[in-house]
Amino acid sequence: MNIKGLQASFLLLLLGVMCIFSNTPAMSENFKNSDLLDFPKSERDAFYTGAAISIGHTISIYDKETGQCYTDWFFENPNKRIMEIEKAVQENPDHTPSTIMLGLPQLKCGRLKKKSD
């Protein structure tokens, strides 16, 4: 495993531990972007990174190429992506973070396709 892969694995593990041992609004059905903006910047950045890893991995189970595109979209320039995500989150406080995290990469990677049976 290369350093980049090791870092990504560690961040995913860290995010999982944070979710298990914290009682935050992130575990609520009604978690909105406005709730996320109440988190300190470092925690929001960790949230975005963990979400990018998780979403890319989940999509790759069904479509390896699109999943890789989602992961690459974020990790090719994470600082730029975090700024883009933050702007979208601020502009859409009543939406959920997942709408932003699933929507923005589609500008580069194309629309997600429904899995055919």
Side-chain angles (χ1 to χ4, degrees):
M1 179 180 290
N2 63 27
I3 295 294
K4 194 174 189 180
L6 184 60
Q7 288 174 333
S9 297
F10 177 75
L11 285 172
L12 185 57
L13 176 65
L14 180 62
L15 182 64
V17 170
M18 286 172 42
C19 287
I20 292 169
F21 292 106
S22 66
N23 187 14
T24 65
M27 301 182 104
S28 168
E29 284 181 27
N30 301 317
F31 185 67
K32 304 278 187 215
N33 288 335
S34 58
D35 300 317
L36 181 60
L37 290 170
D38 289 338
F39 286 27
K41 172 105 173 81
S42 61
E43 289 182 25
R44 292 194 313 269
D45 292 354
F47 180 93
Y48 303 140
T49 303
I53 293 168
S54 298
I55 290 170
H57 174 73
T58 302
I59 292 171
S60 70
I61 292 170
Y62 301 99
D63 181 346
K64 190 171 186 163
E65 186 176 310
T66 303
Q68 186 65 52
C69 184
Y70 268 61
T71 303
D72 290 346
W73 169 82
F74 185 86
F75 287 103
E76 285 173 350
N77 193 340
N79 292 329
K80 179 180 177 184
R81 295 303 177 226
I82 286 172
M83 288 180 8
E84 291 173 357
I85 294 166
E86 280 276 292
K87 181 179 178 198
V89 165
Q90 290 169 356
E91 291 173 353
N92 299 283
D94 293 333
H95 290 73
T96 61
S98 59
T99 59
I100 305 299
M101 295 303 299
L102 285 168
L104 285 177
Q106 289 186 51
L107 297 173
K108 175 187 175 195
C109 303
R111 286 188 69 127
L112 291 174
K113 298 175 185 86
K114 185 176 180 179
K115 183 178 182 264
S116 58
D117 295 325

